[in-house]
Amino acid sequence: MNGRSGWLSSVIMLFYVLCFLASKPSTVLADNVLGCGGFAKISPDLKSLVGTSKATKKVLKAAFSGVKVQLVTSSGAVHDETFCAPNGYYFLPMDDSSAGEEFTLRVQGPAGWTVAKNEYEVTSGEDSVDGCEQDVNFEFTGFSVQGSLSVFGKSAACKDAQIQFAGLELESTLDSKKRFATTTGASGSFIFEGVLPGTYEIKFVEEETRF
């Protein structure tokens, strides 16, 4: 009887321990190491376009392995950094020496990838990290399209703000509702952010553009 009662008590105790661990924030490891963690992932819209084939998953695993997440101090110095796992997971621990300090959690994705939000403000405490109570995820929404505008035969025509800020528009040839707008800089350079895979054409917003 005592043996059975002791076994039952052990099971009940294990149950409470598991419940306690499950209730702890995802930014606290089982060995009480504080830090910030989460995933780099692609947005639902982008995922629906690139698909879920084995080839796509292989490309994404390679891409996520090159995603770097950094903890940056208020002075701009990199306090710590890590690369994501192939599934996009990352974790940056924080020790007691950083308690009370404010950091910026920043992501550096693959070249040409656009992220919805690439920075989060966090503060390290003695028992928790403010801003990292839950997973801090970085969502990649598309890709960047960039180039420059110049006048044929006059390579210097668009330098030194000689070009007016002409409006440019990127429009999908398959879906006219998919439009991205931007303006050229003083040197004629332009960039569209968060562009989903597809076929597009670049055109001026206004029919007449002056230089």
Side-chain angles (χ1 to χ4, degrees):
M1 186 70 176
N2 290 337
R4 186 175 180 180
S5 176
W7 174 83
L8 183 60
S9 298
S10 299
V11 171
I12 294 175
M13 180 62 69
L14 178 61
F15 173 77
Y16 280 116
V17 169
L18 291 176
C19 288
F20 172 74
L21 291 176
S23 67
K24 300 184 73 173
S26 60
T27 52
V28 181
L29 296 181
D31 55 357
N32 294 326
V33 177
L34 294 176
C36 290
F39 290 87
K41 58 183 181 179
I42 60 175
S43 66
D45 288 342
L46 183 56
K47 186 175 182 178
S48 66
L49 290 173
V50 301
T52 57
S53 65
K54 290 183 178 180
T56 298
K57 291 180 179 179
K58 185 177 181 180
V59 171
L60 289 177
K61 285 182 178 180
F64 286 146
S65 297
V67 174
K68 182 188 294 184
V69 181
Q70 299 176 320
L71 269 177
V72 183
T73 65
S74 56
S75 62
V78 177
H79 177 77
D80 196 5
E81 61 184 17
T82 187
F83 284 97
C84 291
N87 68 344
Y89 179 75
Y90 74 91
F91 185 82
L92 284 168
M94 294 184 183
D95 54 31
D96 295 339
S97 64
S98 61
E101 292 189 39
E102 297 181 352
F103 297 93
T104 298
L105 192 64
R106 182 173 65 192
V107 68
Q108 293 183 352
W113 289 44
T114 302
V115 64
K117 184 176 181 180
N118 67 337
E119 292 185 351
Y120 291 88
E121 302 301 321
V122 301
T123 302
S124 177
E126 294 182 359
D127 301 319
S128 63
V129 181
D130 293 340
C132 291
E133 294 84 357
Q134 303 296 328
D135 285 349
V136 180
N137 299 323
F138 296 98
E139 187 175 78
F140 292 96
T141 57
F143 309 94
S144 61
V145 176
Q146 55 186 322
S148 60
L149 181 66
S150 61
V151 179
F152 181 75
K154 298 181 180 180
S155 59
C158 295
K159 294 182 179 180
D160 301 325
Q162 294 180 15
I163 182 174
Q164 293 183 359
F165 283 68
L168 290 177
E169 186 174 65
L170 186 68
E171 180 177 323
S172 173
T173 58
L174 301 178
D175 185 357
S176 60
K177 294 181 180 180
K178 292 182 179 179
R179 295 184 178 182
F180 303 84
T182 188
T183 57
T184 56
S187 63
S189 62
F190 63 87
I191 183 170
F192 297 96
E193 300 279 6
V195 181
L196 295 173
T199 303
Y200 298 86
E201 62 180 9
I202 298 178
K203 62 181 182 180
F204 289 106
V205 175
E206 299 178 2
E207 294 184 1
E208 181 178 355
T209 302
R210 297 175 180 271
F211 297 93

